[in-house]
Amino acid sequence: MKFLLKAVTFYLLITSTVLANTQFNKVGEARMEYLFWDVYDAVLFTPSGNYSAGAHPVKFKLTYLRDFDAKEIVKATNEQWQHLGKTGLADKYDSKLLSIWPDIKKGDSLTLVTNEQGMSTFYHNDEKMGEIDEPQFSSDFLAIWLDEKTSEPKLRKQLLGN
C-alpha cells in the first residue's frame, strides 16, 4: 500500500511538473459577443499551435468582459451542451463545476488546461481552482466552442486559426 501511495504521488508530481513546463502556442482567438454586449475573449493553445480534436494537452482561456455568477456560467454551459445533443452532462457535472468555478468579475479569466491523458484542471486568474479527472469531460467542455455543431461557428473558425 505504501508503494502504491508513493507511486501515485510521484506520478502526480511528474504530471504537474510536465504541465507547468509545457510550452503552449496560440492556435487562435476570438471575442464572444451577444447582441451588442461583449461577453468574453477566448484563446486556444496547444503545444504545436495546431488543434486536433481529442489531442492533449490543450489550454483554453476565457477572459470575461462582464460580471457573471458561477451559476450563470454553469447554466450557459448546460445550454450549449443541450444544443450539441450532449444530454445528461448537466446532471453529471453541475455540482462539480459549481464547486470549482467562482463568481466572475469583469477582467477575470477562467482557464482549462488538460494533461496528456485529457484530465482537466481549471484556473481562475492563473490560480488553480480544481480538477475533473475524467478525460471525456475535457472533450465535452471544449466541444462547446470547437465542435462542428457549435452554436457559434464564426467563433470556432477564429479559435481554430482560420
Side-chain angles (χ1 to χ4, degrees):
M1 183 68 170
K2 279 185 175 180
F3 174 76
L4 181 60
L5 184 58
K6 286 180 181 179
V8 169
T9 301
F10 177 75
Y11 170 77
L12 292 173
L13 286 172
I14 293 299
T15 301
S16 296
T17 302
V18 167
L19 275 180
N21 293 327
T22 299
Q23 179 66 33
F24 286 102
N25 295 291
K26 183 168 49 172
V27 177
E29 60 187 319
R31 175 165 284 184
M32 173 63 180
E33 299 169 339
Y34 181 74
L35 299 175
F36 52 85
W37 290 292
D38 293 334
V39 180
Y40 56 74
D41 289 327
V43 187
L44 176 64
F45 302 89
T46 64
S48 69
N50 295 304
Y51 177 76
S52 177
H56 297 283
V58 171
K59 180 178 177 181
F60 183 69
K61 183 174 186 174
L62 298 170
T63 302
Y64 289 86
L65 305 172
R66 308 177 59 76
D67 295 352
F68 290 98
D69 291 336
K71 288 181 182 181
E72 292 176 293
I73 299 170
V74 171
K75 181 182 176 193
T77 300
N78 291 332
E79 289 169 355
Q80 292 304 309
W81 280 336
Q82 284 295 113
H83 171 82
L84 293 170
K86 294 180 175 286
T87 58
L89 295 182
D91 292 337
K92 187 172 184 176
Y93 294 117
D94 274 10
S95 62
K96 183 68 174 172
L97 291 174
L98 285 170
S99 73
I100 294 173
W101 292 346
D103 292 338
I104 296 292
K105 299 293 180 204
K106 181 179 179 179
D108 283 355
S109 65
L110 189 61
T111 305
L112 166 75
V113 178
T114 67
N115 67 15
E116 290 182 356
Q117 292 75 36
M119 305 301 186
S120 302
T121 302
F122 282 101
Y123 296 84
H124 173 244
N125 296 334
D126 300 323
E127 180 182 324
K128 183 177 175 180
M129 299 305 294
E131 300 175 343
I132 297 181
D133 292 333
E134 296 179 40
Q136 186 58 45
F137 170 81
S138 60
S139 295
D140 290 332
F141 186 72
L142 291 168
I144 292 169
W145 297 271
L146 303 175
D147 190 276
E148 290 179 1
K149 296 182 288 184
T150 181
S151 66
E152 299 294 331
K154 180 181 171 188
L155 192 108
R156 175 184 183 265
K157 186 175 180 181
Q158 292 172 329
L159 286 170
L160 295 176
N162 300 324

